[in-house]
């Protein structure tokens, strides 16, 4: 390290101290565990350890790709992720645009508070609320249905309803919180653009499309890239809590499958579960790199 670089470090030592703990956290909890990925290519034995276990190459990946479960869990994961992306991603944008045009500040604050609040409910409590609302015998939804048609619906027992329950309950919980970043982006748009558009006779929809959406497009693109990178990582806790034997054909995703074969199975297969998890991560990496490259070609915005 030359004298100039040392002086720069010394003059900004507070910044290096500030970043030290997050850096250690990332190294310890995100990079060091990657050493364990070796067991995806081994026949892992607790007695022999990672290095002592026998190498098996890509056999665990071949086993997963050739199994019937591969088609089922991949289909469910992609269907649930794309459904969630298609509905859940634009929802906060629409809410932010709507709030941005509210003139009644008190009503606007009430709407913000009501939509933000569910974010702070834990997933366990959220699922409990959903189960109570959709209960066949005591749920208020089925009581209303009975009053109209006389026949309750077993929402949590029918596979056809699982994806909608998962996605729309997630939108209810996260739409307000997700709109914060878009509201912040909207606040940075020059109000003179709207004044000029009004003078030119632009309608509200035209102002939203040509000024607001155009102004927050870089933010939308960046967040969309990050969302696409998470397509294979639909989540674990909420799916598992909503899952039961009746809706299993629609609710078994990669994360819950890994949990079952790698942890709670009668004979846990750590190597097989790790191989499945590694496959999911590689696909996510390919997706985020591809979408970032595509975004860089069609616009001036990308993650890198």
């Amino acid at each position: 390290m030359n004298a100039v670089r040392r002086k720069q470090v010394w003059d900004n030592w507070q910044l290096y101290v500030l970043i030290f703990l997050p850096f250690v956290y990332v190294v310890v909890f995100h990079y060091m565990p990657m050493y364990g990925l070796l067991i995806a290519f081994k026949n892992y034995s607790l007695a022999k350890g990672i290095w002592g276990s026998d190498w098996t190459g890509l056999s665990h990946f071949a086993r997963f790709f050739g199994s019937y479960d591969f088609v089922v869990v991949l289909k469910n994961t992609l269907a649930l992720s794309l459904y969630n992306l298609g509905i859940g991603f634009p929802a906060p944008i629409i809410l932010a645009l709507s709030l941005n045009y509210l003139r009644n500040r008190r009503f606007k604050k009430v709407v913000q508070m009501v939509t933000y609040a569910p974010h702070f409910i834990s997933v366990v409590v959220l699922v409990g609320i959903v189960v109570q609302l959709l209960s066949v015998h005591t749920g208020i939804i089925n009581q209303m249905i009975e009053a109209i048609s006389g026949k309750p619906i077993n929402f949590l027992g029918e596979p056809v309803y699982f994806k909608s329950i998962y996605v729309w309950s997630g939108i209810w919980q996260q739409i307000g919180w997700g709109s914060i970043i878009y509201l912040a982006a909207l606040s940075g748009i020059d109000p003179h653009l709207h004044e000029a558009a009004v003078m030119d006779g632009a309608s509200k929809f035209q102002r939203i499309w040509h000024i607001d959406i155009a102004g927050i497009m870089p933010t939308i693109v960046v967040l969309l890239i990050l969302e696409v990178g998470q397509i294979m990582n639909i989540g674990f806790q909420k799916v598992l809590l909503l899952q039961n034997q009746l809706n299993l054909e629609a609710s078994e995703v990669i994360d819950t499958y890994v949990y079952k074969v790698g942890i709670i199975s009668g004979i846990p297969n750590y190597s097989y579960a790790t191989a499945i998890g590694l496959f999911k991560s590689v696909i996510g990496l390919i997706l985020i790199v591809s979408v970032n490259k595509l975004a860089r070609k069609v616009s001036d915005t990308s993650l890198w």
Side-chain angles (χ1 to χ4, degrees):
M1 183 183 296
N2 57 41
V4 176
R5 182 61 58 83
R6 284 197 298 269
K7 187 177 185 306
Q8 289 177 342
V9 173
W10 179 253
D11 290 342
N12 300 282
W13 67 268
Q14 299 95 334
L15 298 178
Y16 288 95
V17 171
L18 188 65
I19 202 174
F20 177 72
L21 286 179
F23 175 77
V24 172
Y25 169 81
V26 171
V27 171
V28 172
F29 292 101
H30 291 271
Y31 280 91
M32 290 179 62
M34 292 177 70
Y35 161 72
L37 292 176
L38 284 174
I39 68 176
F41 307 96
K42 288 173 169 269
N43 188 17
Y44 178 66
S45 168
L46 287 172
K48 295 180 179 179
I50 294 179
W51 282 111
S53 301
D54 300 327
W55 289 95
T56 58
L58 300 176
S59 62
H60 296 300
F61 296 93
R63 174 187 167 188
F64 178 55
F65 297 152
S67 68
Y68 169 78
D69 294 329
F70 171 72
V71 177
V72 174
V73 299
L74 185 62
K75 182 185 71 173
N76 289 339
T77 301
L78 290 176
L80 198 57
S81 296
L82 293 174
Y83 186 1
N84 189 53
L85 181 66
I87 303 297
F89 182 77
I93 302 174
I94 296 172
L95 177 61
L97 292 170
S98 302
L99 291 173
N100 192 52
Y101 280 85
L102 285 179
R103 292 293 173 259
N104 190 324
R105 291 188 177 182
R106 179 174 295 180
F107 180 69
K108 181 177 180 179
K109 289 181 179 180
V110 171
V111 172
Q112 287 178 308
M113 182 185 68
V114 171
T115 55
Y116 293 171
H119 171 77
F120 301 98
I121 300 175
S122 70
V123 175
V124 176
V125 174
L126 172 67
V127 172
I129 294 173
V130 171
V131 170
Q132 290 299 318
L133 288 174
L134 300 179
S135 173
V136 177
H137 303 292
T138 60
I140 187 172
I141 303 298
N142 268 310
Q143 288 179 359
M144 294 171 61
I145 293 175
E146 280 189 277
I148 297 173
S149 64
K151 187 176 181 181
I153 300 174
N154 186 8
F155 289 102
L156 295 175
E158 296 289 340
V160 68
Y161 297 117
F162 178 83
K163 293 179 178 64
S164 294
I165 293 172
Y166 178 91
V167 171
W168 288 102
S169 62
I171 291 174
W172 173 75
Q173 185 180 28
Q174 300 296 342
I175 186 172
W177 187 258
S179 67
I180 292 176
I181 190 168
Y182 296 111
L183 285 170
L186 286 168
S187 66
I189 296 176
D190 189 351
H192 292 94
L193 294 175
H194 285 281
E195 294 175 4
V198 171
M199 292 292 291
D200 290 338
S203 65
K204 187 171 292 186
F205 177 78
Q206 289 173 325
R207 289 161 55 196
I208 290 174
W209 183 259
H210 295 288
I211 299 176
D212 293 325
I213 294 182
I216 64 174
M217 187 56 68
T219 303
I220 294 175
V221 171
V222 169
L223 293 179
L224 180 61
I225 293 171
L226 295 174
E227 286 290 331
V228 171
Q230 296 295 316
I231 277 183
M232 298 296 289
N233 191 28
I234 188 62
F236 162 74
Q237 188 177 7
K238 185 179 174 183
V239 175
L240 186 67
L241 291 172
L242 287 171
Q243 190 179 88
N244 56 56
Q245 290 300 320
L246 297 176
N247 62 30
L248 197 62
E249 66 179 82
S251 62
E252 188 75 293
V253 296
I254 290 178
D255 289 325
T256 57
Y257 184 71
V258 169
Y259 170 68
K260 290 175 182 177
V261 301
I263 297 179
I264 65 173
S265 173
I267 305 177
N269 194 330
Y270 302 112
S271 295
Y272 185 51
T274 303
I276 300 172
L278 181 57
F279 159 75
K280 182 190 73 171
S281 299
V282 170
I283 297 299
L285 176 62
I286 293 172
L287 285 173
I288 197 170
V289 171
S290 302
V291 174
N292 184 77
K293 187 175 181 180
L294 178 63
R296 193 167 60 246
K297 284 185 176 180
V298 300
S299 68
D300 296 330
T301 306
S302 62
L303 284 176
W304 65 86

